[in-house]
Coordinates of all heavy atoms in Angstrom, one line a residue:
L1 N 4.2 16.4 15.6 CA 3.5 16.6 14.3 C 4.3 17.3 13.3 O 4.9 18.3 13.5 CB 2.2 17.4 14.6 CG 1.3 17.6 13.4 CD1 0.6 16.3 13.0 CD2 0.1 18.6 13.8
L2 N 4.5 16.6 12.1 CA 5.3 17.2 11.0 C 4.4 17.8 10.0 O 3.4 17.2 9.5 CB 6.1 16.0 10.4 CG 6.8 15.0 11.3 CD1 7.5 14.0 10.4 CD2 7.8 15.7 12.2
V3 N 4.8 19.1 9.6 CA 4.0 19.8 8.6 C 4.8 19.5 7.3 O 6.0 19.9 7.1 CB 3.9 21.3 8.9 CG1 3.2 21.9 7.7 CG2 3.2 21.5 10.1
I4 N 4.1 18.9 6.3 CA 4.7 18.6 5.0 C 3.7 19.0 3.9 O 2.6 18.6 4.0 CB 5.1 17.1 4.9 CG1 6.0 16.6 6.0 CG2 5.8 16.8 3.5 CD1 6.3 15.1 6.0
G5 N 4.2 19.8 3.0 CA 3.3 20.3 2.0 C 3.7 19.8 0.6 O 3.3 18.7 0.1
R6 N 4.6 20.6 -0.1 CA 4.9 20.3 -1.5 C 5.5 19.0 -1.8 O 5.2 18.4 -2.9 CB 5.7 21.5 -2.0 CG 5.0 22.8 -2.2 CD 5.8 24.0 -2.4 NE 6.4 24.4 -1.1 CZ 7.1 25.5 -0.9 NH1 7.2 26.3 -1.9 NH2 7.6 25.8 0.3
P7 N 6.3 18.4 -0.9 CA 6.8 17.0 -1.2 C 5.6 16.0 -1.4 O 5.8 15.0 -2.0 CB 7.6 16.7 0.0 CG 8.2 18.0 0.4 CD 7.0 18.9 0.3
I8 N 4.5 16.3 -0.8 CA 3.3 15.4 -0.9 C 2.3 16.0 -2.0 O 2.0 15.3 -3.0 CB 2.5 15.3 0.4 CG1 3.4 14.5 1.4 CG2 1.2 14.6 0.2 CD1 2.8 14.4 2.8
T9 N 1.9 17.2 -1.9 CA 0.9 17.7 -2.8 C 1.5 18.0 -4.2 O 0.7 18.0 -5.2 CB 0.3 19.1 -2.2 OG1 1.4 20.0 -2.0 CG2 -0.4 18.8 -0.9
G10 N 2.8 18.2 -4.3 CA 3.4 18.4 -5.6 C 3.8 17.1 -6.3 O 4.3 17.1 -7.4
A11 N 3.6 16.0 -5.6 CA 3.9 14.7 -6.2 C 2.8 14.3 -7.3 O 1.7 14.7 -7.2 CB 4.0 13.6 -5.2
P12 N 3.2 13.4 -8.2 CA 2.2 13.0 -9.2 C 1.0 12.3 -8.6 O -0.1 12.4 -9.0 CB 3.0 12.0 -10.1 CG 4.4 12.4 -10.0 CD 4.5 12.9 -8.6
D13 N 1.2 11.6 -7.5 CA 0.2 10.9 -6.7 C 0.3 11.3 -5.2 O 1.1 10.7 -4.5 CB 0.2 9.4 -6.9 CG -0.9 8.7 -6.2 OD1 -1.6 9.3 -5.3 OD2 -1.1 7.5 -6.5
P14 N -0.4 12.4 -4.8 CA -0.2 12.8 -3.4 C -0.5 11.7 -2.4 O 0.1 11.6 -1.3 CB -1.2 14.0 -3.3 CG -1.3 14.5 -4.7 CD -1.2 13.3 -5.5
G15 N -1.5 10.9 -2.7 CA -1.8 9.8 -1.7 C -0.7 8.8 -1.6 O -0.3 8.4 -0.5
A16 N 0.0 8.5 -2.7 CA 1.1 7.5 -2.6 C 2.3 8.2 -1.9 O 3.0 7.5 -1.2 CB 1.5 7.1 -4.0
A17 N 2.5 9.5 -2.1 CA 3.6 10.2 -1.5 C 3.4 10.2 0.1 O 4.3 10.0 0.9 CB 3.7 11.6 -2.0
A18 N 2.1 10.5 0.5 CA 1.8 10.5 1.9 C 2.0 9.1 2.5 O 2.5 8.9 3.6 CB 0.3 11.0 2.1
A19 N 1.5 8.1 1.7 CA 1.7 6.7 2.2 C 3.1 6.3 2.4 O 3.5 5.6 3.3 CB 1.0 5.7 1.2
S20 N 4.0 6.8 1.5 CA 5.4 6.4 1.5 C 6.1 7.1 2.8 O 6.8 6.4 3.5 CB 6.1 6.9 0.3 OG 7.5 6.7 0.4
I21 N 5.7 8.3 3.1 CA 6.3 9.0 4.3 C 5.8 8.3 5.5 O 6.5 8.0 6.5 CB 5.9 10.5 4.2 CG1 6.7 11.2 3.1 CG2 6.2 11.1 5.6 CD1 6.3 12.6 2.9
A22 N 4.5 8.0 5.5 CA 3.9 7.3 6.7 C 4.5 5.9 6.9 O 4.8 5.6 8.1 CB 2.4 7.1 6.5
A23 N 4.8 5.2 5.9 CA 5.4 3.9 6.0 C 6.8 4.0 6.6 O 7.3 3.2 7.4 CB 5.5 3.2 4.7
A24 N 7.6 5.0 6.1 CA 8.9 5.3 6.6 C 8.9 5.6 8.1 O 9.8 5.1 8.9 CB 9.6 6.4 5.8
L25 N 8.0 6.4 8.5 CA 7.9 6.7 9.9 C 7.5 5.5 10.8 O 8.0 5.3 11.9 CB 6.9 7.8 10.2 CG 7.3 9.2 9.6 CD1 6.1 10.2 9.8 CD2 8.5 9.7 10.3
R26 N 6.6 4.6 10.2 CA 6.2 3.4 11.0 C 7.4 2.5 11.1 O 7.6 1.9 12.1 CB 5.1 2.7 10.2 CG 3.7 3.3 10.5 CD 2.6 2.3 10.1 NE 2.6 2.0 8.7 CZ 2.0 2.8 7.8 NH1 1.4 3.9 8.1 NH2 2.1 2.5 6.5
R27 N 8.2 2.3 10.0 CA 9.4 1.5 10.1 C 10.4 2.0 11.2 O 11.0 1.2 11.9 CB 10.1 1.4 8.7 CG 9.4 0.6 7.7 CD 10.3 0.3 6.5 NE 10.6 1.5 5.8 CZ 9.9 2.1 4.8 NH1 8.8 1.5 4.4 NH2 10.4 3.2 4.2
M28 N 10.5 3.3 11.2 CA 11.4 3.9 12.2 C 10.9 3.6 13.6 O 11.7 3.2 14.5 CB 11.5 5.4 12.0 CG 12.5 6.1 12.9 SD 12.3 7.8 12.9 CE 10.8 8.0 13.8
T29 N 9.6 3.7 13.8 CA 9.0 3.5 15.2 C 9.1 2.0 15.5 O 9.4 1.7 16.7 CB 7.5 3.9 15.1 OG1 7.4 5.3 14.8 CG2 6.9 3.7 16.5
D30 N 8.9 1.1 14.6 CA 9.0 -0.3 14.9 C 10.4 -0.7 15.3 O 10.6 -1.7 16.1 CB 8.6 -1.1 13.6 CG 7.1 -1.0 13.3 OD1 6.3 -0.6 14.2 OD2 6.7 -1.3 12.1
K31 N 11.4 0.0 14.8 CA 12.8 -0.3 15.2 C 13.2 0.1 16.6 O 14.2 -0.3 17.2 CB 13.8 0.3 14.2 CG 13.7 -0.3 12.8 CD 14.7 0.4 11.9 CE 14.6 -0.2 10.4 NZ 15.5 0.5 9.5

């Protein structure tokens, strides 16, 4: 479990920032 705060909550769109990190982790898992 990764704790991430300001890179997400400090972004202009926290939802988009969370989605981007989630997508990167899924791509890594798929590989």
Side-chain angles (χ1 to χ4, degrees):
L1 183 65
L2 313 179
V3 178
I4 306 176
R6 287 163 287 190
I8 291 175
T9 59
D13 183 344
S20 176
I21 290 171
L25 291 175
R26 279 195 299 274
R27 286 194 296 271
M28 184 193 74
T29 302
D30 291 343
K31 290 178 183 178

